[in-house]
Amino acid sequence: MLSAVDLAAIWLTLKLATVTTAILLIVGTPIAWWLAGTRSRFKVLIGALVALPLVLPPSVIGFYLLITLGPHGPVGQLTQWLGWGILPFTFAGLVVASALYSLPFVVQPLQQAFEAIGPRPLEVAATLRASPWDSFFTVVVPLAKPGFITAAILGFAHTVGEFGVVLMIGGNIPEKTRVVSVQIYDHVEALEYAEAHTLAGGMLLFSFLVLLALYSRKGRNAWT
Amino acid sequence: MKTQGSPLLAGLLFAATSMVGHTAEVQVAVAANFTAPMQKIAAEFEKDTGHKALLAFGATGKFYAQIKNGAPFAVFLAADEKTPATLESEGDAVPGSRFTYAIGTLVLWSAKPGFVDDQGAVLKKGEFQHLAIANPKTAPYGAEAIKVLTRLSLLDAIQPKLVTGENISQAYQFIVTGNAELGFVALSQVMFDGKLSSGSAWIVPADLHDPIRQDAVILAKGKDQPAAKALVEYIKGKKATAIIQSYGYNL
């Protein structure tokens, strides 16, 4: 039913989504924490920047990434200077693009979870002489656990559902940048509808189950 | 019709002819390698006839799939002769309307001057990270590029370095941004008025691939559209032929 190239695309997509989600949880947590607690006038600015991928078309992100990560762009110059070569057409390049593209899907649920906790539990922890790090990991993280789960699910699912940016900077290389969405597009373009149906049907089912899981959680715990 | 005279007058004349309904719009699917010449031809066509050609650019195989699924194109300028013939035999094109509008040339091109030598030896040396081609499944120029690499017995060696553009325009864009050091594109994309516009190139000898005869056809949707017929006649005309040849196509 599934050919070797289709299986390779599925495996690559799962790998990309896992790596991207892990990176986004690490990078997104401090951003969300800062956004939740700050009174800085930059809060609005950073919040808007983080939300940009929600509204920008993938063609805009893909275009700027191709230029910026390319050999003449600032990031491309840096990666070449470091001896890494350039990022477009590589798995690492897709991770960078996906992390950018899925950033709001991780930061926003985390920010809402942190805001819902409020300053009170931390103040209490501080009076008990807990260090900020200590209270973050023993108080905030357990309280915000539903927010972390929502963020991880959304970040993962959104990366699996990515298409346009990958199409623009991926170069469609088997096992490196040819993810499921691109593989489906290829099948459809070549009129290979049977192959397209198998993958597209699988994608539909996967996305529906993810959202079903997410909403049944939400039903129990409200948004966070 | 004279094209001189004040732009205002020409504009008024155009508006007037549009209003009485002698002019029409015609939707055209154009192979990506023919983008630049077709934009010029469409502009001249509109100036000379008042008809407006609405152009969509993409891979030939993709257009085939779209036409089979009811796309509203009246004329199709493909990058091969096979696809229009198939459409005609399947009843999706007007019988007898097929003709060769250009014969394309494949080039190995780099945006860097001096990178590609005029013998294509750069391919054997293999000192590059990425070589861009158009998707061989849907773009005839991509399929021909694979044939060239196969005939040079280099396909296995270069396969891991291949990056595939959705169509030949994306392959060109990968090279022009420097993300791929070189790649196979259409001569028409890198040449104008008999000269290479930039970078360095190797014109692939004709014996390394099949000739890229590009056929056009009036589609079933354009059967009763006078503007579709007018456009096809215009493409066969002297003015269009000169434009086509200026981009390095044979005819």
Side-chain angles (χ1 to χ4, degrees):
Chain A
M1 251 237 306
L2 283 172
S3 66
V5 266
D6 288 344
L7 284 173
I10 293 173
W11 171 239
L12 178 75
T13 307
L14 295 177
K15 201 169 81 171
L16 176 67
T18 308
V19 174
T20 303
T21 307
I23 289 176
L24 275 179
L25 286 176
I26 295 166
V27 175
T29 302
I31 299 176
W33 179 249
W34 183 81
L35 282 171
T38 186
R39 289 197 187 137
S40 159
R41 57 205 167 97
F42 294 114
K43 175 177 174 160
V44 188
L45 187 78
I46 301 296
L49 277 176
V50 167
L52 264 183
L54 288 175
V55 294
L56 276 182
S59 50
V60 172
I61 301 175
F63 171 58
Y64 282 132
L65 280 176
L66 197 67
I67 302 292
T68 324
L69 305 181
H72 313 299
V75 179
Q77 299 270 346
L78 180 72
T79 53
Q80 282 174 305
W81 183 74
L82 290 168
W84 300 347
I86 51 162
L87 288 174
F89 316 133
T90 64
F91 181 74
L94 287 202
V95 171
V96 170
S98 308
L100 208 69
Y101 193 51
S102 297
L103 185 68
F105 289 84
V106 171
V107 168
Q108 292 190 347
L110 286 179
Q111 185 187 342
Q112 279 153 358
F114 295 151
E115 281 168 351
I117 295 170
R120 185 74 188 140
L122 280 182
E123 286 165 9
V124 174
T127 60
L128 298 170
R129 294 193 195 164
S131 75
W133 281 105
D134 191 11
S135 53
F136 182 81
F137 284 107
T138 54
V139 178
V140 175
V141 171
L143 283 174
K145 193 176 140 204
F148 276 100
I149 294 175
T150 302
I153 292 176
L154 281 179
F156 190 90
H158 191 249
T159 306
V160 168
E162 187 181 347
F163 171 65
V165 179
V166 177
L167 189 75
M168 288 184 74
I169 69 154
N172 203 351
I173 307 169
E175 292 171 34
K176 272 202 254 170
T177 61
R178 189 187 288 163
V179 296
V180 174
S181 57
V182 173
Q183 180 75 351
I184 294 173
Y185 185 70
D186 251 27
H187 282 319
V188 175
E189 299 284 86
L191 287 178
E192 296 163 354
Y193 287 171
E195 291 87 341
H197 269 308
T198 314
L199 281 180
M203 197 78 141
L204 185 68
L205 192 68
F206 165 80
S207 307
F208 177 69
L209 290 178
V210 164
L211 290 180
L212 201 65
L214 195 70
Y215 283 112
S216 52
R217 286 181 50 76
K218 271 192 205 167
R220 291 205 310 272
N221 305 317
W223 166 244
T224 53
Chain B
M1 177 179 151
K2 280 191 181 173
T3 44
Q4 294 111 314
S6 83
L8 181 68
L9 201 64
L12 281 174
L13 195 67
F14 176 69
T17 48
S18 309
M19 267 185 283
V20 289
H22 289 306
T23 65
E25 288 183 344
V26 50
Q27 295 203 48
V28 192
V30 184
N33 75 83
F34 202 62
T35 301
M38 193 56 204
Q39 278 166 340
K40 273 204 177 161
I41 292 170
E44 294 295 318
F45 174 65
E46 185 173 344
K47 238 191 279 171
D48 289 353
T49 67
H51 296 310
K52 195 171 164 60
L54 304 174
L55 309 175
F57 303 103
T60 294
K62 167 183 172 154
F63 280 133
Y64 174 76
Q66 291 181 349
I67 290 161
K68 292 304 286 182
N69 285 292
F73 300 116
V75 177
F76 180 25
L77 281 77
D80 63 2
E81 43 184 351
K82 200 180 73 206
T83 311
T86 310
L87 284 168
E88 188 180 317
S89 69
E90 290 170 346
D92 296 301
V94 176
S97 67
R98 258 187 303 138
F99 68 102
T100 303
Y101 66 92
I103 297 168
T105 304
L106 194 65
V107 289
L108 181 68
W109 180 70
S110 170
K112 282 186 247 173
F115 192 81
V116 175
D117 56 287
D118 58 5
Q119 300 293 320
V122 64
L123 282 177
K124 283 203 188 70
K125 270 192 254 152
E127 286 164 2
F128 49 85
Q129 293 299 311
H130 301 292
L131 184 139
I133 61 168
N135 188 342
K137 275 212 288 197
T138 52
Y141 279 83
E144 292 307 321
I146 292 291
K147 269 184 212 160
V148 172
L149 291 175
T150 309
R151 287 186 195 173
L152 291 170
S153 308
L154 289 170
L155 186 60
D156 289 340
I158 290 181
Q159 190 92 55
K161 297 176 176 177
L162 284 186
V163 292
T164 314
E166 196 225 323
N167 58 51
I168 196 95
S169 295
Q170 202 190 10
Y172 174 76
Q173 166 219 320
F174 284 157
I175 309 166
V176 95
T177 55
N179 284 297
E181 293 96 324
L182 74 175
F184 285 102
V185 295
L187 181 60
S188 53
Q189 292 173 292
V190 296
M191 177 177 171
F192 185 65
D193 269 346
K195 283 193 304 266
L196 196 64
S197 325
S198 65
S200 51
W202 171 50
I203 296 179
V204 181
D207 58 331
L208 285 176
H209 62 85
D210 299 337
I212 307 175
R213 296 183 75 89
Q214 306 192 190
D215 280 6
V217 72
I218 297 179
L219 298 166
K221 291 239 157 79
K223 188 164 58 96
D224 301 318
Q225 293 183 23
K229 197 158 190 317
L231 178 66
V232 164
E233 289 312 314
Y234 196 84
I235 294 170
K236 289 175 184 169
K238 255 196 205 142
K239 216 173 190 175
T241 305
I243 294 174
I244 293 170
Q245 283 169 337
S246 75
Y247 282 91
Y249 291 100
N250 295 313
L251 256 183

